[in-house]
Amino acid sequence: MRASRLPLLWRVFAINAALLAVATLLLAVTPVTIHAPIALVEAVVLVAGLLAMLAANLLLLRPTFAPLERLVRRMRTVDLLRPGQRLVEEGGLEVAELVRGFNEMLERLEAERRESSRRALAAQEAERARVAAELHDEVGQVLTGVLLQLDSLPLGASAAVEIDETKQAVRLALDEVRRIAQELRPAMLDHLGLPSALTELAARFEEHTGLPVERRLASSLPRLSPDGELAVYRVAQESLTNVARHARASRVELALEPGAGSVVLRVRDDGRGFEHPPDGGGLRGMRERAVLVGGALAVKAGPTGGVEVRLEVPAEER
Ligand SMILES: Nc1ncnc2c1ncn2[C@@H]1O[C@H](COP(=O)(O)OP(=O)(O)OP(=O)(O)O)[C@@H](O)[C@H]1O
Ligand SMILES: [Mg+2]
């Protein structure tokens, strides 16, 4: 057993025993005598000896407890949204044991967290898909039926204008229902793949906000899992929504590029940026999705002002 692997009790005991032995030895070999009542010089020597021993004690004990202090600091700052942080096993037996226990606890917490976010996101996506299907199939059908009925009305000259206006309103409602359904569940993603779905997303964003989106969507990309694709799509969607809501930008860049065995999404605006490190439901959701697909998300100030969101998702293993 290495000295540093001694139990904490024995390390402290050994240090103190060594100091006491040294003090005893010094008393034995040096001509120090103590009288009662104590003389001033003797008192000074005694106090100096005591101080020297205390200082030595502190110096020798410090390294023993330093790993414990580091452990506490690390426990306070560990961030479950940045998984994979582990402490080095160091220090005496108990401290190393504590670090091992802490690392194992992190492992379990991260696994548990991954599982619960996965379940929450899957439930959310399933619910969105259900609402999208209902909107599209039920409400869409009813509105289409109304349009057909309006078309088949006998054209009385007096009501023709009103009927036309009603048809126009129904058509608008139909478009809106389709748009909402599309946003809830991007059918494009399932049928035409990520670049097409992002192109469509950008087009709708431009139409809605009047902001031009500069698209750099590589056509040949490493393959992502369906969850990975959905994560990229949802992060792009939330980032664009944030640009529209917060950035006051004049242009946006939406890039999808191949990385090293990964796919990299970048959404960059030239807006006012943020004053504080931002934290909201949207960003937290993005982070959670990134963690879940083993990706990395960074939200930071863009190179020329504004905000840059970057998501890297590892490609699916073959
Ligand atoms: N592109 C951006 N430009 C400027 N500020 C931004 C940008 N994106 C985010 N922010 C800031 O970061 C904050 C957090 O964003 P986040 O998406 O988490 O929340 P939110 O958009 O306010 O609400 P929601 O939960 O509905 O998304 C925003 O309130 C905003 O102040
Ligand atoms: Mg938001």
Side-chain angles (χ1 to χ4, degrees), residues 173-187:
L174 201 51
D175 284 349
E176 196 67 358
V177 163
R178 288 197 180 123
R179 182 186 66 74
I180 294 171
Q182 172 71 20
E183 250 169 47
L184 283 169
R185 177 64 218 182

Side-chain angles (χ1 to χ4, degrees), residues 238 241-242 245-246 282-283:
E238 170 64 20
T241 306
N242 276 349
R245 282 176 59 190
H246 310 295
L283 289 176

